[in-house]
Amino acid sequence: MSEVEAALRLDPRIGRKAYVRAGSAFGGGTLARDVQFLKTVSKKTGSVVPLLALSGYDLHKGWVVRHLRQQLGGLSGKEIGILGIAYKAGTDAIRRSVAIEVIRGVGAAEANVTVFDPKVSVFARAIELSGQYRQLCE
């Protein structure tokens, strides 16, 4: 547990048992969509709205693929397994899932991708994939 997490839990409004661990850049697709909307409105109205979160989000999304490339010395022809593709546990929703971005990234790098998520039955039609992929069933 990081010092920041421990400090946040000391605040009685948050509490000792609160889940405050770092994870993906955003907790769900709606926040990213809302930030994009603000960016669009600010352009149309000529307003200055600094949105540093989006550049960090885009950079963060590519971290997994960059890290895999570095650790494996490239991805072409490598076997990559993705466990869990829904945007959060217990759902079959894959829209705006960070895992989909990872699948696209390793697929574009010509890796062979195997995907498993017990809640998601079919995902191939929902996303465009490059490279080889297969989905494991229960």
Side-chain angles (χ1 to χ4, degrees), residues 14-78:
I14 296 172
R16 291 183 310 114
K17 296 181 181 181
Y19 183 82
V20 292
R21 291 198 173 89
S24 298
F26 288 110
T30 57
L31 182 56
R33 182 194 64 213
D34 293 344
V35 173
Q36 285 287 9
F37 174 76
L38 286 173
K39 186 177 173 183
T40 301
V41 169
S42 70
K43 278 185 180 179
K44 286 182 180 177
T45 62
S47 303
V48 177
V49 181
L51 297 173
L52 299 176
L54 281 180
S55 60
Y57 177 66
D58 290 339
L59 184 63
H60 188 76
K61 283 192 310 187
W63 179 87
V64 173
V65 176
R66 287 191 309 273
H67 187 71
L68 284 171
R69 272 193 183 116
Q70 180 182 11
Q71 294 299 312
L72 300 175
L75 296 176
S76 181
K78 299 287 176 32

Side-chain angles (χ1 to χ4, degrees), residues 79-86 91-94 100 103 112-127 129 131-138:
E79 298 288 333
I80 305 291
I82 308 287
L83 304 176
I85 60 172
T91 181
D92 65 352
I94 61 172
I100 301 303
I103 293 167
N112 300 313
V113 183
T114 300
V115 176
F116 176 75
D117 189 317
K119 295 286 187 181
V120 178
S121 58
V122 177
F123 71 94
R125 287 189 301 263
I127 60 172
L129 295 172
Q132 301 287 326
Y133 75 92
R134 65 178 180 218
Q135 180 178 6
L136 296 178
C137 298
E138 285 187 275

